[in-house]
Amino acid sequence: MKIRIAAVLLGFTSIITQIIMMREFMIVAGGNELVMGIILASWMLLTAAGALLTKFLPSGLRNYALYYNPLLLSLIALGSVTSLNIFFHDIFTYGVAVGLYEIILLSLVMLAPFCLLGGISFPLLSALYNSSKKQDTVGEVYAWEGIGSIGGGVIFNLLMINFFSSDVVLSVVMLINILFVFYNLQTGQYTAVRILFILICLILPLYLIFICPKYCLREELFRGQEILSVEQTPFGELAVTESNGQVNFYESGQAVYSSRSITRLEERVHFAMLQRPYAKQILMISGGLFGSANEIVKYPDVEEIVLLEPNKYLVKLAKHFIPETDSLFKTSEVKVLHKDARIFLNETEKKFDVALINTPDPSTAQFNRYFTIDFFKRLKQHLTSSGLISISLSSTANYMSEESALTNAILHHSLKKVFKHVQLIAGNRNYYLASDGRLDYGFLNNIEKHNIQTDYVNSFYLDSSLLKHQSEIIREQLPEQTKPNKDFRPVLYFAEINQWLKHFEYNRWILIGLLALLIIVPVAGNKLVNTALYTGGFTAASIEFILLFSYQIIYGYVYLFLGFIIPVFMGGLAFGALRLIKSVWVFNLKTYSGIQLLIGVYAISTPLVLLLLRELVSMELIMHALFLLFTFTGGMLVGLQFAYSTRIQQSGIKPLAAVTYSADMFGSAAGAILTSIILVPLLGITASTYVLAGFNFLVALLIYLKHKKLIT
């Protein structure tokens, strides 16, 4: 019983730590989905290395794994998160973007203590469990660890994410593990040293929960600013700071608004509205809480402004800290809805004269979903015959790099695929207006004609002919031919990632060489059974990344769902390894090849499932249920494969657990990093799943041929 609890706590502690570390890296290192893939890969790689280390450790450590590993893991997790926040800006220059190699190195250093110890724990617990039951129990320990992951994910999402910061959550986990240590120790084991060690460990979580200042972990992150508020929300962490009278809003570490930005505020509204000064129905996607909607109200014919802001917690903070936002809710024309734009457009029948898309650059899949042909087509269905949209990218007025030219060209050509007319206006950002109606650069004349009061967007500061000239200079530098940006082929997002990478000097051949080693070394000289396990882990991690990435595309805010997708996948692992394996009566290579074949079928079916989920986006309950069911199915197949592989191999329990667990983890590491860096960026989601399927079909064929050779 104690060993099962230890395995459950291993999964419980690991999943919560994994989710928190991914969130913290996204906040501290300014992460995107690429960073998410790197964290997952580093986690799996180090865990695999830890599992292999047990082959060189004495068997006497098994009781140590049972008694103290859960407590040490939670202590390390708390120390890692605290160190990441406190020392990040001592390691990297404050305000300077962190490069790819730095993120990889930082993730390996920060995750190494926890993951190596976690990897060591699994084979030791398997050996200890086997010695008590006298049978092959590697699959069972694997399953109990998965059950702990389910519990950790559910508790984290339902009870912790909305109320507590990362340090407090990990402190609670540590207290749970301390209770387990007390439960394990027999009366004769209560030595003074052990009691002292436990009491010292007890002090840290109690200090962080009850004594530590509220924003102690974020003080270094927002160095030089006064922290006004930090809120934990299902959409991410929201922080509000103040510096020299300027109020700043951050969402998951990314700046989303700063007060006193009059020029940008007026440009994002008036460049579009002055083209349609008689507009009555206005749609604003993000950005309207901080003064933009107040600018629209200046147009006398406006009847309704629909402001979409899914994060209600951001609305609450904006009302509290920004006077303009509080007054906005007293304006009769403004209607604020806490809905995602795609869901809203699926549900509404309304038509709009102007749609303002005020999101940041498409440097994440969450924002790129507003820059795709698929979204533009859906939005156009809700525009009047002469309705227009406004969307923007970072300014290139001073310098247009090759990468910047490509990102602008992709957006320009994607808009041209949907609208008859596209106009570029070079301001503090590159604004793209698109419409089937007329667009021209003489819109500044409407300022005086309609008596619109502005501070910056007027003829005193801007000149129509100069705006046109600057815009034409930029447009002439854009490539003539580019691929359009689509939901499941997000070329604009990957162009943004490439532009980000170009800021740092790195040799891509070194990176490719390291990735090749990650594939070749674990496979070379390994048994075909474990190579298949490597392939299953590779596919599982790849599909898990694709699902997380696709959730961003379909629904947005993967932060909201991160704590469900990973535990549900782990739940599938547990079910496959603990229950589904019992329905299998024949243990041979032929059946094993069939399991591999099913994993390939699962991979190749992913694009069809994702297309179905996209169509069901407005039916949130059904969409999420199917998403989780598909995730669970993938985990179930991999869990079955893992348990089956331990049944058809002859070896001691500890080396068997070490080899199989490390093969699974090495494959997962390779899948996470290769899919996030190479497969999806180069091939897109659909083609990537075909590659994964082909990989599994090939290995299944090799296993089947070996089976045929053995029986003949």
Side-chain angles (χ1 to χ4, degrees):
M1 182 65 179
K2 290 181 179 180
I3 302 172
R4 289 181 177 180
I5 295 175
V8 169
L9 280 177
L10 176 61
F12 178 86
T13 305
S14 295
I15 197 66
I16 291 180
T17 304
Q18 185 182 70
I19 295 170
I20 285 179
M21 288 304 292
M22 289 176 71
R23 289 164 58 118
E24 290 296 313
F25 265 91
M26 296 282 278
I27 292 170
V28 174
N32 47 38
E33 291 77 14
L34 177 60
V35 173
M36 193 183 300
I38 291 171
I39 301 303
L40 280 173
S42 299
W43 185 282
M44 309 292 185
L45 181 65
L46 291 166
T47 303
L52 285 178
L53 282 176
T54 55
K55 296 171 68 174
F56 309 102
L57 297 177
S59 299
L61 288 175
R62 291 183 298 183
N63 289 333
Y64 169 84
L66 174 63
Y67 293 136
Y68 292 109
N69 270 20
L71 178 56
L72 286 175
L73 284 171
S74 55
L75 181 63
I76 291 170
L78 195 54
S80 298
V81 169
T82 304
S83 300
L84 179 64
N85 280 272
I86 292 177
F87 300 116
F88 182 82
H89 288 306
D90 291 326
I91 300 172
F92 302 106
T93 305
Y94 185 78
V96 176
V98 182
L100 178 65
Y101 287 144
E102 287 85 354
I103 290 175
I104 293 174
L105 181 61
L106 182 66
S107 67
L108 290 172
V109 171
M110 285 295 173
L111 296 178
F114 185 95
C115 293
L116 288 174
L117 184 59
I120 290 170
S121 299
F122 178 80
L124 293 180
L125 286 174
S126 297
L128 191 63
Y129 195 40
N130 181 74
S131 65
S132 66
K133 296 196 72 173
K134 305 300 181 184
Q135 64 183 40
D136 180 5
T137 52
V138 177
E140 284 194 40
V141 175
Y142 189 74
W144 285 111
E145 182 188 2
I147 290 171
S149 298
I150 302 172
V154 170
I155 291 173
F156 180 79
N157 265 315
L158 298 182
L159 300 180
M160 297 180 177
I161 190 173
N162 294 331
F163 306 105
F164 305 113
S165 60
S166 298
D167 55 327
V168 173
V169 171
L170 290 175
S171 297
V172 173
V173 173
M174 189 171 178
L175 290 174
I176 293 172
N177 283 306
I178 288 174
L179 291 176
F180 175 69
V181 172
F182 272 116
Y183 168 73
N184 265 329
L185 292 176
Q186 305 299 324
T187 304
Q189 295 174 311
Y190 280 90
T191 63
V193 174
R194 287 171 176 166
I195 292 294
L196 180 62
F197 170 71
I198 294 171
L199 288 176
I200 291 173
C201 291
L202 190 62
I203 292 172
L204 180 58
L206 292 177
Y207 168 77
L208 289 172
I209 294 173
F210 298 108
I211 303 175
C212 181
K214 188 175 180 182
Y215 310 130
C216 59
L217 279 189
R218 294 293 178 248
E219 288 178 352
E220 284 299 309
L221 180 61
F222 301 114
R223 187 181 294 176
Q225 304 178 58
E226 179 187 354
I227 300 176
L228 302 179
S229 178
V230 176
E231 295 279 344
Q232 305 301 323
T233 82
F235 299 92
E237 182 181 88
L238 291 175
V240 185
T241 68
E242 188 269 335
S243 177
N244 297 322
Q246 177 176 290
V247 180
N248 310 296
F249 284 74
Y250 298 87
E251 187 171 3
S252 298
Q254 304 297 304
V256 294
Y257 169 75
S258 294
S259 62
R260 300 183 175 181
S261 54
I262 299 298
T263 56
R264 181 172 297 181
L265 183 68
E266 291 195 358
E267 283 183 351
R268 66 167 49 167
V269 170
H270 297 298
F271 282 175
M273 287 297 298
L274 288 172
Q275 300 273 358
R276 302 290 185 269
Y278 298 106
K280 300 182 186 303
Q281 297 290 328
I282 313 298
L283 176 66
M284 294 195 71
I285 300 173
S286 185
L289 294 174
F290 308 108
S292 296
N294 301 74
E295 293 295 315
I296 297 175
V297 175
K298 295 176 180 179
Y299 292 82
D301 291 317
V302 170
E303 295 177 357
E304 185 180 47
I305 305 169
V306 177
L307 171 56
L308 301 179
E309 180 50 67
N311 194 343
K312 63 181 180 181
Y313 304 92
L314 179 61
V315 175
K316 183 185 76 171
L317 289 175
K319 288 175 67 176
H320 182 74
F321 291 105
I322 306 295
E324 295 89 344
T325 304
D326 189 43
S327 63
L328 177 68
F329 283 82
K330 301 172 185 177
T331 306
S332 59
E333 295 92 343
V334 177
K335 183 179 181 181
V336 180
L337 299 177
H338 302 304
K339 283 191 175 183
D340 176 75
R342 288 181 169 229
I343 295 175
F344 171 76
L345 293 174
N346 282 340
E347 295 175 345
T348 189
E349 299 277 333
K350 288 186 175 182
K351 298 274 189 177
F352 298 94
D353 300 298
V354 175
L356 305 175
I357 305 171
N358 297 319
T359 63
D361 287 353
S363 57
T364 68
Q366 177 183 339
F367 296 130
N368 181 77
R369 59 203 292 269
Y370 299 115
F371 290 76
T372 66
I373 284 181
D374 309 82
F375 180 68
F376 294 150
K377 288 179 178 178
R378 182 60 59 91
L379 182 55
K380 186 178 179 180
Q381 294 172 0
H382 294 276
L383 294 178
T384 57
S385 58
S386 61
L388 69 79
I389 72 169
S390 171
I391 193 168
S392 65
L393 294 173
S394 293
S395 173
T396 56
N398 296 321
Y399 173 70
M400 173 78 83
S401 66
E402 182 179 340
E403 293 74 31
S404 298
L406 179 60
T407 57
N408 279 267
I410 291 172
L411 177 57
H412 185 270
H413 294 153
S414 297
L415 288 167
K416 287 290 288 183
K417 292 280 186 181
V418 182
F419 297 95
K420 293 180 181 178
H421 307 290
V422 177
Q423 183 182 81
L424 167 63
I425 302 177
N428 283 280
R429 290 176 63 83
N430 288 352
Y431 291 90
Y432 286 87
L433 308 184
S435 175
D436 284 346
R438 183 171 177 269
L439 297 172
D440 65 63
Y441 287 96
F443 59 87
L444 289 175
N445 297 328
N446 288 326
I447 289 280
E448 296 181 2
K449 183 177 179 181
H450 296 274
N451 195 29
I452 308 298
Q453 301 299 315
T454 59
D455 293 317
Y456 172 72
V457 178
N458 51 54
S459 56
F460 293 103
Y461 289 97
L462 301 175
D463 180 76
S464 296
S465 58
L466 183 59
L467 277 178
K468 182 179 180 180
H469 177 67
Q470 291 173 331
S471 301
E472 287 177 346
I473 290 175
I474 294 175
R475 196 166 56 220
E476 288 171 358
Q477 299 179 66
L478 304 185
E480 290 296 326
Q481 298 294 328
T482 62
K483 295 178 181 178
N485 192 35
K486 298 180 179 180
D487 279 352
F488 296 124
R489 190 70 188 275
V491 294
L492 180 56
Y493 163 69
F494 295 128
E496 284 278 337
I497 293 295
N498 188 52
Q499 185 175 355
W500 172 67
L501 291 174
K502 286 289 186 179
H503 287 299
F504 314 101
E505 293 184 4
Y506 79 101
N507 189 320
R508 68 174 60 191
W509 292 108
I510 294 177
L511 183 61
I512 291 173
L514 292 174
L515 295 176
L517 287 175
L518 188 58
I519 296 176
I520 296 170
V521 172
V523 173
N526 215 336
K527 292 181 180 179
L528 184 56
V529 170
N530 291 326
T531 299
L533 202 56
Y534 174 94
T535 306
F538 187 102
T539 306
S542 299
I543 297 297
E544 188 175 359
F545 172 80
I546 287 172
L547 290 174
L548 289 169
F549 188 81
S550 300
Y551 187 85
Q552 283 279 56
I553 294 169
I554 296 169
Y555 196 78
Y557 290 103
V558 71
Y559 203 92
L560 176 67
F561 212 51
L562 186 62
F564 284 111
I565 292 178
I566 297 176
V568 166
F569 183 83
M570 297 299 293
L573 291 177
F575 182 81
L578 193 62
R579 293 299 176 192
L580 200 58
I581 189 66
K582 294 182 178 180
S583 65
V584 180
W585 299 98
V586 180
F587 291 92
N588 56 36
L589 289 177
K590 182 180 178 181
T591 306
Y592 193 56
S593 69
I595 297 173
Q596 196 78 51
L597 188 66
L598 286 175
I599 295 175
V601 172
Y602 174 79
I604 207 169
S605 67
T606 302
L608 294 175
V609 174
L610 293 177
L611 289 173
L612 174 63
L613 292 171
R614 187 177 65 176
E615 295 304 313
L616 295 174
V617 66
S618 58
M619 304 168 67
E620 292 187 56
L621 184 60
I622 296 176
M623 190 272 283
H624 283 93
L626 288 176
F627 207 105
L628 293 177
L629 178 61
F630 188 72
T631 303
F632 183 87
T633 302
M636 181 180 66
L637 290 173
V638 176
L640 174 63
Q641 184 190 40
F642 182 89
Y644 199 97
S645 71
T646 64
R647 300 288 185 93
I648 60 176
Q649 296 189 78
Q650 301 297 321
S651 179
I653 288 298
K654 192 173 76 170
L656 176 63
V659 171
T660 53
Y661 194 63
S662 62
D664 184 31
M665 288 293 140
F666 272 126
S668 299
I673 194 69
L674 284 171
T675 304
S676 60
I677 291 180
I678 295 178
L679 283 182
V680 173
L682 292 181
L683 303 178
I685 289 175
T686 301
S688 295
T689 60
Y690 295 161
V691 171
L692 295 172
F695 194 12
N696 282 275
F697 293 155
L698 176 61
V699 174
L701 177 62
L702 293 175
I703 296 172
Y704 180 75
L705 292 175
K706 183 174 182 179
H707 168 76
K708 295 288 286 185
K709 183 178 179 181
L710 289 175
I711 63 175
T712 57

